[in-house]
Amino acid sequence: MRHIIDRTRVRIKKLLWLLLLLPLLTGAISYYMAAQAPVVSTATVEIMLGNFQDSILTNDTLMMEKLKTKRYLQQLTSSNEDFSDMSVELKEGKILTLSLTDEDEMKAGERLHMVVASLLDKSEEVYAQKEEMLKKQVEDMEQHNPGAESLPKVTDELLNLRETEIHKEMSVTTTDGGVVKRGIFGIIVGLMLNAFILAVPEIFRD
């Protein structure tokens, strides 16, 4: 064992510069490669659909599928913008999670905001029509038929009416490919190579 330590010490002295430079070199290469990876920004928002009984706007499953189609999104936003990089997921409670990626952080937020604002505006328009219709029904019943059995039901529907709203505000996260982590990993690889270089002569020694 003593002889192995002595021989290893001698090899360290002979290869000192190589052993110092190798981890730095592998770390620099890993850092450079990670730095070349494109920066990606992802804007995410959660929307809770209302309960004003629209065949599309309050149907969570159908709404999710609609928001994945190019034609519907262009009609909704009145633009020719390409939203093919937007994903839509459905959560319990009629909540839709919209995520959109872009190389530009500000543009990612702006493009997703365009979709969300258009959806909320459209929903608000239909909601207002539904609310006005229920109010008129209640007023007519109270004025002409106050004892109608359906009056409490219509009144409850009006009181519990909920419009589509933002459930979780938009956030934008940016990933840079883990430049620092990749650099540290490269250094670790270099140190492992150092250990291998020092150990190989002992492994194959007669």
Side-chain angles (χ1 to χ4, degrees):
M1 186 67 180
R2 177 70 180 180
H3 295 299
I4 295 176
I5 296 175
D6 291 339
R7 288 194 297 268
T8 302
R9 187 178 297 140
V10 171
R11 279 195 294 275
I12 291 175
K13 289 181 180 180
K14 288 182 178 180
L15 303 174
L16 181 60
W17 284 109
L18 175 62
L19 299 176
L20 290 175
L21 290 175
L22 190 57
L24 296 178
L25 181 61
T26 54
I29 292 174
S30 295
Y31 184 92
Y32 175 78
M33 292 178 64
Q36 300 310 303
V39 175
V40 177
S41 295
T42 302
T44 304
V45 67
E46 289 186 358
I47 297 175
M48 179 183 290
L49 300 182
N51 64 349
F52 47 91
Q53 297 180 355
D54 182 81
S55 59
I56 296 178
L57 293 172
T58 60
N59 186 322
D60 50 3
T61 304
L62 183 58
M63 195 73 245
M64 177 181 66
E65 296 302 323
K66 283 283 190 180
L67 289 173
K68 292 179 180 179
T69 62
K70 177 180 179 181
R71 182 178 179 182
Y72 181 79
L73 285 170
Q74 290 183 340
Q75 290 177 344
L76 180 67
T77 60
S78 301
S79 72
N80 294 320
E81 183 75 27
D82 181 14
F83 296 102
S84 59
D85 50 0
M86 187 180 78
S87 63
V88 186
E89 295 181 1
L90 177 60
K91 296 173 62 176
E92 187 177 354
K94 300 180 71 172
I95 297 173
L96 296 177
T97 302
L98 280 60
S99 299
L100 190 148
T101 59
D102 200 291
E103 293 184 2
D104 186 291
E105 181 178 353
M106 183 175 294
K107 192 172 181 181
E110 290 176 348
R111 293 172 63 217
L112 185 58
H113 176 74
M114 183 189 301
V115 175
V116 173
S118 300
L119 178 58
L120 292 180
D121 286 346
K122 180 66 176 177
S123 297
E124 184 179 357
E125 178 184 342
V126 178
Y127 171 86
Q129 294 173 358
K130 178 71 173 182
E131 184 182 39
E132 184 62 29
M133 182 189 72
L134 290 175
K135 285 182 177 179
K136 190 174 186 306
Q137 286 182 8
V138 171
E139 290 175 0
D140 289 344
M141 288 182 183
E142 288 178 342
Q143 184 175 356
H144 300 105
N145 191 10
E149 294 183 1
S150 58
L151 178 57
K153 182 179 179 181
V154 177
T155 302
D156 288 343
E157 185 178 355
L158 177 60
L159 292 174
N160 295 321
L161 202 62
R162 186 188 75 245
E163 58 185 314
T164 295
E165 58 187 18
I166 293 179
H167 181 255
K168 187 176 181 180
E169 293 291 339
M170 183 188 303
S171 62
V172 182
T173 58
T174 301
T175 57
D176 58 0
V179 176
V180 176
K181 290 183 178 179
R182 290 285 294 275
I184 294 174
F185 176 76
I187 293 175
I188 294 173
V189 171
L191 293 173
M192 292 174 64
L193 288 174
N194 281 350
F196 181 76
I197 291 172
L198 293 174
V200 163
E202 295 300 327
I203 294 175
F204 294 98
R205 187 177 181 84
D206 293 332

